[in-house]
């Protein structure tokens, strides 16, 4: 057990030195040192509590979810009645007071219409989403249930949280904190981002993209007065549009939504040299876009983003292939933000920033300073205690402790993980675990010597028996650390990362490295007794 062939010693020393060298950029200034952009940052990323950053609180509009459900239900009802065999003809659809109602042209179609509506009324079977009533024998009324609205808001917030996470990840930030707070709020904390304006611009955009036909039959005077023809609605042009301040009437139904996008990239128009966003639809969306453009060549369509028209070009020819270009007075930054938002998907509900603040690094610097001071005082006390108690073996434990610290830092830098204030606590905890491991080993060796075993046998038995207990203890800690990482967020995950890395390095340095050193000393010195 104390045999260490040359190849194994080379491998252990190589692994140790590589991990320790990776820690140097985080300990010493690397200003002026060239570092390839293709490689990850060699320094450890500091969390919001240590490096400062941006904190914003977003709030969703629950009433918007209800309105969107009503609109989706209207489209579903029209589609079901139109596709029925034979077709079920209905009159105008009314959506007032949070309810939707429509009249069947033929009362004899009542049972067939009810049969078609039951699946979407009952939802997933766990929550009844809509109440269906029949009034006067041929008018059907759909009313959303409270449970259905509550479930819809919860689902929308889950989706919004995931979209927010995708958008922030696209900025290249690491270890952001994104958690739901209550029913309609999301807390976002981004370490290292001192200017929250970009974050607000990115998250404040719903990125709900729609393509709708312009209603050419609408009279300009009515449109200017905000009066839309039946089946159409009025939209304002965005402030960045060439038609800012004007309005346009578009057909309410029959357009294409941006939820079928597969990609969006910022680019430059080859003719005008203006920033644009190039988008790509999936197969189904591309087919719809091709059909819409083919059937309406020569007609104008509106590109609507978050309820504002950013441009209204003409279909000059069928647009096949599922790709299109969005222009609308973008800057390079706004085009890139829009591309990120479209790639991440539209927010299912508008999010409003209700609180924002920039966290300075002063608190973190003070925490780091006090943490380092505590670590230094504690380390000196541990070193004195270990060397005083175990002599040579205490020296080995001290050197192993230094390597343990450097390896943790090096591995964290290599994995681009983030060090948070709880992470420092995890750091100290793993150092304590490494010291405990050496105490267990040395005490076990001391017991074996008291039992009269020879030096080599005592050391071999001590390492073997103590290692078993060390492995068992660290397995349970490892499971706890993994669970914290999987189910935690932000600083909690930072603690878990340091804890898990520290468990591996502490076992490696306290058990494997010290055993290699002790084995080398035994072969060289061949002692007849131990001073433990």
């Amino acid at each position: 057990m104390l045999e260490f062939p040359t190849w194994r010693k080379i491998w252990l020393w190589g692994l140790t030195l590589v991990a320790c060298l990776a820690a140097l950029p985080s300990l010493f200034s690397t200003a002026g040192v060239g570092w390839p952009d293709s490689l990850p940052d060699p320094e450890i990323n500091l969390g919001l509590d240590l490096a400062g950053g941006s904190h914003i609180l977003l709030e969703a509009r629950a009433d918007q979810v209800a309105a969107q459900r009503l609109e989706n239900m209207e489209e579903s009802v029209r589609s079901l009645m139109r596709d029925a065999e034979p077709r079920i003809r209905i009159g105008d659809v009314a959506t007032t007071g949070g309810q939707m109602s429509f009249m069947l042209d033929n009362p004899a179609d009542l049972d067939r219409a009810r049969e078609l509506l039951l699946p979407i009324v009952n939802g997933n079977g766990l929550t009844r989403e809509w109440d269906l009533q029949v009034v006067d024998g041929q008018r059907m009324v759909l009313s959303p249930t409270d449970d259905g609205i509550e479930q819809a808001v919860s689902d929308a917030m889950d989706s919004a949280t995931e979209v927010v996470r995708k958008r922030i990840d696209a900025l290249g930030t690491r270890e952001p904190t994104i958690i739901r707070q209550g029913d309609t709020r999301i807390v976002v904390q981004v370490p290292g981002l001192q200017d929250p304006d970009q974050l607000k611009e990115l998250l404040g955009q719903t990125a709900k993209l729609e393509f709708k036909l312009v209603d050419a039959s609408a009279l300009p005077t009515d449109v200017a007065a905000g009066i839309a023809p039946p089946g159409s609605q009025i939209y304002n042009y965005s402030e960045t549009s060439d038609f800012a301040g004007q309005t346009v009437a578009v057909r309410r139904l029959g357009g294409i939504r941006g939820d079928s996008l597969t990609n969006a990239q910022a680019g430059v128009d080859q003719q005008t040299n203006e920033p644009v966003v190039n988008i790509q639809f999936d197969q189904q969306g591309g087919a719809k876009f091709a059909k819409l453009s083919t059937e309406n060549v020569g007609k104008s369509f509106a590109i609507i983003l978050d309820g504002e028209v950013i441009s209204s070009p003409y279909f000059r020819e069928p647009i096949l292939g599922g790709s299109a270009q969005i222009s609308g007075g973008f800057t390079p930054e706004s085009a890139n933000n829009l591309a990120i938002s479209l790639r991440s998907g539209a927010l299912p509900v508008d999010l409003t920033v209700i609180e924002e603040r920039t966290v300075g690094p002063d608190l973190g610097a003070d925490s780091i300073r006090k943490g380092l001071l505590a670590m230094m005082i504690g380390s000196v006390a541990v070193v004195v205690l270990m060397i005083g108690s175990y002599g040579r073996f205490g020296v080995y434990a001290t050197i192993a402790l230094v390597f343990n610290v450097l390896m943790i830092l090096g591995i964290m830098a290599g994995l681009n993980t983030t060090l948070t204030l709880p992470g420092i606590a995890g750091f100290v905890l793993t150092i304590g675990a490494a010291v405990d491991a050496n105490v267990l080993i040395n005490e076990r060796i001391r017991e074996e010597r008291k039992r009269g075993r020879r030096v080599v046998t005592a050391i071999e038995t001590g390492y073997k028996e103590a290692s078993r207990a060390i492995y068992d203890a660290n397995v349970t800690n490892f499971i706890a650390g993994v669970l914290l990482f999987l189910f935690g967020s932000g600083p909690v995950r930072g603690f878990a990362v340091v804890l898990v890395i520290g468990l591996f390095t502490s076992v490696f340095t306290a058990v494997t490295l010290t055993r290699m050193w002790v084995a080398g000393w035994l072969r060289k010195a061949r002692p007849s007794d131990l001073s433990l």
Side-chain angles (χ1 to χ4, degrees), residues 215-225 227 229 249:
D215 189 348
S217 66
L219 298 176
T221 52
D222 289 344
V223 174
I227 302 174

Side-chain angles (χ1 to χ4, degrees), residues 345-488:
L347 287 168
V349 61
D350 288 347
L351 297 176
T352 305
V353 178
I354 61 173
E355 177 185 317
E356 64 170 286
R357 65 175 185 269
T358 301
V359 181
D362 298 342
L363 178 61
D366 186 57
S367 299
I368 293 175
R369 187 167 53 251
K370 291 181 178 178
L372 290 176
L373 180 61
M375 288 176 60
M376 290 178 62
I377 295 174
S379 299
V380 170
V382 168
V383 168
V384 171
L385 179 64
M386 292 296 289
I387 295 177
S389 301
Y390 304 113
R392 173 182 292 275
F393 286 74
V395 174
Y396 291 150
T398 301
I399 298 174
L401 199 61
V402 174
F403 279 124
N404 182 38
V405 172
L406 293 176
M407 289 185 72
I408 293 176
L409 294 175
I411 293 174
M412 290 186 67
L415 297 178
N416 286 327
T417 57
T418 299
L419 180 63
T420 62
L421 196 56
I424 293 179
F427 214 98
V428 176
L429 186 63
T430 57
I431 291 175
V435 174
D436 285 345
N438 283 118
V439 170
L440 282 173
I441 293 170
N442 295 335
E443 288 297 329
R444 188 67 182 178
I445 294 173
R446 181 179 285 173
E447 290 179 5
E448 295 301 323
R449 283 293 294 160
K450 289 181 179 178
R451 293 176 181 174
R453 295 184 184 274
R454 294 185 304 166
V455 172
V456 175
T457 305
I459 293 176
E460 188 169 359
T461 305
Y463 267 99
K464 181 179 180 181
E465 297 298 327
S467 297
R468 189 177 304 164
I470 294 169
Y471 292 147
D472 290 343
N474 282 288
V475 165
T476 56
N477 288 334
F478 174 77
I479 294 173
V482 171
L483 293 177
L484 282 175
F485 181 82
L486 293 177
F487 297 103

Side-chain angles (χ1 to χ4, degrees), residues 1-9 12 456 459-460 463 512 515-520 522-523 526:
M1 191 172 180
L2 294 176
E3 292 295 326
F4 280 85
T6 304
W7 68 266
R8 190 178 180 190
K9 287 191 284 188
L12 292 175
V456 175
I459 293 176
E460 188 169 359
Y463 267 99
T512 306
R515 188 164 56 188
M516 180 178 68
W517 298 335
V518 170
L522 285 177
R523 283 195 299 273
R526 299 184 181 280

Side-chain angles (χ1 to χ4, degrees), residues 40 89 108 120 128 144 163 188 204 242 297 374 389 416 424 459:
R89 299 191 177 278
I120 58 176
R128 186 177 180 82
V163 171
V188 178
D242 295 336
V297 172
S389 301
N416 286 327
I424 293 179
I459 293 176

Side-chain angles (χ1 to χ4, degrees), residues 70-344:
L70 204 59
E71 184 177 334
N72 293 340
M73 177 57 80
E74 180 182 351
E75 289 196 15
S76 298
V77 168
R78 289 184 181 277
S79 176
L80 288 171
M81 300 300 121
R82 183 174 57 249
D83 296 339
E85 291 292 341
R87 179 174 181 174
I88 300 176
R89 299 191 177 278
I90 62 176
D92 291 337
V93 176
T95 55
T96 56
Q99 295 180 328
M100 192 191 78
S101 63
F102 59 94
M103 182 81 78
L104 297 173
D105 288 354
N106 185 357
D109 293 331
L110 180 61
D111 291 338
R112 286 202 302 132
R114 192 204 309 267
E115 194 70 23
L116 291 172
L117 292 176
L118 282 179
I120 58 176
V121 167
N122 292 331
N124 56 17
L126 300 177
T127 303
R128 186 177 180 82
E129 298 185 359
W130 297 80
D131 286 331
L132 174 61
Q133 295 179 304
V134 178
V135 181
D136 298 333
Q138 64 184 108
R139 175 172 291 279
M140 309 192 79
V141 180
L142 292 164
S143 306
T145 64
D146 292 339
D147 290 341
I149 293 178
E150 184 178 344
Q151 183 63 45
V153 171
S154 178
D155 293 342
M157 291 304 296
D158 287 341
S159 300
T161 304
E162 188 59 30
V163 171
V164 168
R165 187 183 309 281
K166 289 180 180 177
R167 292 185 184 183
I168 294 178
D169 288 344
L171 290 177
T173 58
R174 290 177 290 180
E175 298 290 343
T177 299
I178 305 166
I179 54 176
R180 281 185 58 178
Q181 185 181 75
D183 294 333
T184 58
R185 292 183 175 181
I186 300 174
V187 175
V188 178
Q189 294 179 337
V190 183
L193 185 64
Q194 299 298 327
D195 182 7
D197 289 342
Q198 184 185 11
L199 191 62
K200 288 167 52 184
E201 181 181 354
L202 188 63
L203 300 183
Q205 192 174 49
T206 305
K208 182 181 178 182
L209 184 66
E210 298 171 285
F211 298 86
K212 292 187 175 183
L213 285 176
V214 173
D215 189 348
S217 66
L219 298 176
T221 52
D222 289 344
V223 174
I227 302 174
S232 298
Q233 58 190 134
I234 302 294
Y235 278 95
N236 295 320
Y237 279 94
S238 69
E239 295 181 356
T240 59
S241 168
D242 295 336
F243 301 97
Q246 301 182 32
T247 56
V248 62
V250 302
R251 296 194 179 280
R252 194 160 58 89
L253 302 177
I256 298 175
R257 292 179 179 175
D259 52 6
S260 56
L261 290 179
T262 59
N263 194 16
Q265 296 290 339
V268 178
D269 188 283
Q270 298 299 321
Q271 295 181 348
T272 63
N273 205 32
E274 292 181 348
V276 296
V277 178
N278 298 306
I279 59 176
Q280 182 73 39
F281 289 98
D282 60 16
Q283 185 175 5
Q284 186 177 9
K288 288 183 178 178
F289 199 73
K291 182 173 184 294
L292 182 70
S293 59
T294 301
E295 295 176 348
N296 297 281
V297 172
K299 296 182 181 179
S300 176
F301 67 102
I303 301 175
I304 305 169
L305 180 67
D306 293 348
E308 292 186 336
V309 177
I310 56 178
S311 63
S312 54
Y314 286 87
F315 286 122
R316 301 190 184 282
E317 58 185 12
I319 300 177
L320 309 177
S323 61
Q325 187 180 82
I326 302 174
S327 60
F330 296 123
T331 64
E333 291 76 16
S334 62
N336 186 56
N337 283 343
L338 177 58
I340 292 175
S341 300
L342 294 177
R343 285 200 304 271
S344 306

